[in-house]
Amino acid sequence: MLNEQLQLYIEDLIPERDSLLLEMERFAELHHVPIMELTGIEAMLQLLRIQRSRKILEIGTAIGYSALRMASAIPEVQIVTIERDIERLQLAKQYIQRSKHSDRIILIEGDALEVEELVRPHAPFDAVFIDAAKGQYKKFFELYAKLLQDHGMIITDNVLFKGLVAQPDIPVKRTRNLVEKITGFNNWLMNHPDFDTVILPVGDGVAVSKKRGE
Ligand SMILES: C[S@@+](CC[C@H](N)C(=O)[O-])C[C@H]1O[C@@H](n2cnc3c(N)ncnc32)[C@H](O)[C@@H]1O
């Protein structure tokens, strides 16, 4: 990951978002809603533009910030996004209704591991974006990789988890367990027979996995 000075330098160069997105960024900061870091999301949006994604599945809507960023960045893209926290889902609904993109975002309420049947009719997807409970990444990946288009990619956020994946001694047991899950996922992903993966050290660490052989 970049040092703080460079991180701030890049963030300063990123064009200002529209007023609704800025309001959401402020809300997230004030209410401790974990939305994707700016440099991470910009990298992801650029990959989605290059891929010319038409349909994206997001696991982990929170208040709808990344869904709206994707909808704003890519004309005509359709987004299906899953959230299990009812309060956050309501906020996402309100923000999305206030945007110009409400007809292109479908919200699905529930645990991503339990709503595959509701998601399947919208498949196949050009991209799947995993940004939910970190301990479940492998399960999300295995479940929703099946709904990917032949040329599809899966983007997974937080794979470097504030740099903790490379830290030898983590004193807090709960954090240590979570780090072990993420490093386990990273090792599994990097050796996956059906995907080529690169880990980008932007934001909180973004893994980009492209289906092989297409
Ligand atoms: C990091 S936030 C998502 C941020 C959002 N993608 C953004 O950048 O604006 C993670 C969200 O995933 C939700 N979540 C966690 N595990 C989930 C699961 N198994 N199914 C559905 N949602 C889940 C949490 O409630 C939380 O709101």
Side-chain angles (χ1 to χ4, degrees):
M1 283 192 275
L2 296 174
N3 71 37
E4 210 181 320
Q5 218 175 358
L6 266 179
Q7 179 86 10
L8 287 173
Y9 171 75
I10 296 177
E11 283 179 6
D12 277 350
L13 284 174
I14 294 172
E16 186 98 318
R17 277 73 59 210
D18 70 26
S19 58
L20 181 65
L21 290 166
L22 288 176
E23 183 186 325
M24 293 171 84
E25 289 174 15
R26 280 194 296 271
F27 180 94
E29 195 177 354
L30 201 64
H31 298 276
H32 309 290
V33 179
I35 60 172
M36 196 177 190
E37 286 183 31
L38 209 47
T39 51
I41 206 161
E42 292 293 337
M44 177 174 80
L45 293 176
Q46 190 71 328
L47 290 168
L48 296 171
R49 286 188 197 101
I50 292 167
Q51 192 208 28
R52 297 174 189 272
S53 305
R54 309 287 295 183
K55 216 182 253 191
I56 301 169
L57 171 67
E58 174 180 64
I59 304 169
T61 318
I63 58 169
Y65 177 75
S66 48
L68 275 177
R69 293 288 322 259
M70 292 189 278
S72 317
I74 309 158
E76 291 173 41
V77 76
Q78 282 197 330
I79 294 152
V80 176
T81 178
I82 312 170
E83 175 58 58
R84 67 178 174 190
D85 181 309
I86 312 289
E87 262 179 52
R88 284 189 181 164
L89 194 83
Q90 286 307 327
L91 284 164
K93 228 178 245 175
Q94 288 165 19
Y95 279 124
I96 290 166
Q97 270 161 11
R98 286 173 56 197
S99 78
K100 291 180 284 188
H101 311 294
S102 57
D103 55 332
R104 294 195 281 123
I105 303 176
I106 296 168
L107 283 165
I108 293 183
E109 178 187 332
D111 189 310
L113 296 175
E114 293 166 7
V115 295
E116 195 260 353
E117 263 181 43
L118 300 177
V119 177
R120 208 182 315 141
H122 302 287
F125 297 97
D126 301 299
V128 174
F129 170 39
I130 300 175
D131 191 18
K134 296 184 236 325
Q136 313 266 38
Y137 275 5
K138 184 165 174 258
K139 286 185 184 164
F140 297 140
F141 194 103
E142 284 180 319
L143 184 61
Y144 289 109
K146 294 179 201 137
L147 303 187
L148 263 190
Q149 193 81 269
D150 286 346
H151 62 268
M153 67 174 166
I154 300 188
I155 296 175
T156 312
D157 193 24
N158 310 111
V159 297
L160 298 179
F161 196 27
K162 305 174 202 321
L164 292 173
V165 289
Q167 199 168 297
D169 300 308
I170 297 165
V172 181
K173 189 164 178 245
R174 195 168 165 269
T175 312
R176 192 167 61 238
N177 288 343
L178 195 49
V179 169
E180 275 168 16
K181 286 233 164 154
I182 296 170
T183 53
F185 170 76
N186 289 344
N187 288 333
W188 172 80
L189 186 58
M190 294 301 288
N191 292 292
H192 198 299
D194 303 330
F195 285 85
D196 290 307
T197 295
V198 62
I199 292 178
L200 304 177
V202 289
D204 197 27
V206 176
V208 183
S209 308
K210 162 91 178 55
K211 236 180 174 180
R212 238 176 221 164
E214 307 297 340

